[in-house]
Amino acid sequence: MATVAAVATLSALAGPARAEEALIQPRTLVVDAQLDRAQAEREILAARRYGSFWSTGQEALARAALAPDFMDRTLPPGRAQGLAGPLAASAGFRQAVPDLRCEIEQMIVSGDRVVSHLRFTGHFSGQFHGRTGQGQAIDFIATDIYRVQDGRIAENWHLEDNLTLLQQMGLVTL
C-alpha cells in the first residue's frame, strides 16, 4: 500500500478536472504506490462516478461508472442483475429518503480493486415498505469492493449497515 507521502502525492488523482469537478471526493485516498498512475486515475474516476450516482441519483453517472456487463456479486433478493439493479435500488431508496447523500469516507486502490467506505445521510420523509417517514435522520455506512476493468466497475461486492438504517427509520427496535 502507499505510504502517507505517496497518498499526499497521489491525492491529486482524485482532484477536480473537466466534467469530474462535480463528482464527490474521497475524504481519505490510499493508492498502491506500485500501481500505474493512468490505471489508478481510471479506477478512482469510476469509483467517484459511482459514489456520485448514489449521492445524486443521476442515471448517467451509473452508466458511466458501470461496465455494460456489470455483475453485483452480493445481489440482494429481488434486485435485478446488471445496471438495472442499482438504478432501481437508488430510485426506491430515494422514495424513502429524498434528500439522500453519499460521501466517500475512504477509498483504497490496489491492482484492479477499489474499496470504498461510504456514508449515507438524509431524512426518512418518504415512503418505505408501506410506511411514511417523519423526517428521521438517516446516517449509516456501507463498504463496496469494486473490480475495475477498462475504467469501469465490472464487479461489486457490498455490505450495508441495514440494521442501523432500519433502526433509524423506526422499523426495527432492539
Side-chain angles (χ1 to χ4, degrees):
M1 284 294 157
T3 65
V4 174
V7 170
T9 301
L10 292 173
S11 66
L13 295 174
R18 301 178 313 276
E20 287 80 42
E21 288 179 12
L23 299 178
I24 61 175
Q25 298 275 2
R27 290 181 195 258
T28 301
L29 175 63
V30 179
V31 178
D32 183 342
Q34 309 257 331
L35 190 61
D36 174 75
R37 182 180 176 100
Q39 179 181 350
E41 288 174 348
R42 288 189 302 271
E43 291 176 10
I44 292 166
L45 179 58
R48 288 181 61 215
R49 284 176 173 159
Y50 199 49
S52 296
F53 157 71
W54 285 108
S55 192
T56 65
Q58 294 177 9
E59 185 176 318
L61 289 168
R63 290 187 182 283
L66 301 177
D69 58 350
F70 167 73
M71 292 290 294
D72 184 337
R73 297 298 183 182
T74 48
L75 191 67
R79 184 179 295 174
Q81 189 57 266
L83 176 64
L87 294 179
S90 173
F93 198 56
R94 287 186 176 286
Q95 288 179 3
V97 184
D99 64 342
L100 180 67
R101 290 291 170 254
C102 174
E103 296 177 8
I104 304 171
E105 296 286 337
Q106 302 179 63
M107 184 183 292
I108 302 168
V109 184
S110 182
D112 64 352
R113 307 297 164 135
V114 176
V115 177
S116 286
H117 172 203
L118 308 172
R119 177 168 304 280
F120 291 88
T121 58
H123 296 87
F124 177 33
S125 59
Q127 297 286 319
F128 186 77
H129 290 270
R131 293 250 177 103
T132 302
Q134 303 300 312
Q136 298 97 311
I138 300 299
D139 185 347
F140 71 100
I141 61 171
T143 300
D144 284 2
I145 302 171
Y146 311 129
R147 183 179 66 79
V148 180
Q149 180 179 337
D150 300 324
R152 295 171 86 184
I153 299 169
E155 295 179 277
N156 183 19
W157 295 262
H158 52 91
L159 180 64
E160 299 87 20
D161 185 2
N162 290 321
L163 178 58
T164 295
L165 170 63
L166 294 173
Q167 286 175 319
Q168 292 170 350
M169 292 176 136
L171 301 175
V172 170
T173 58
L174 294 179

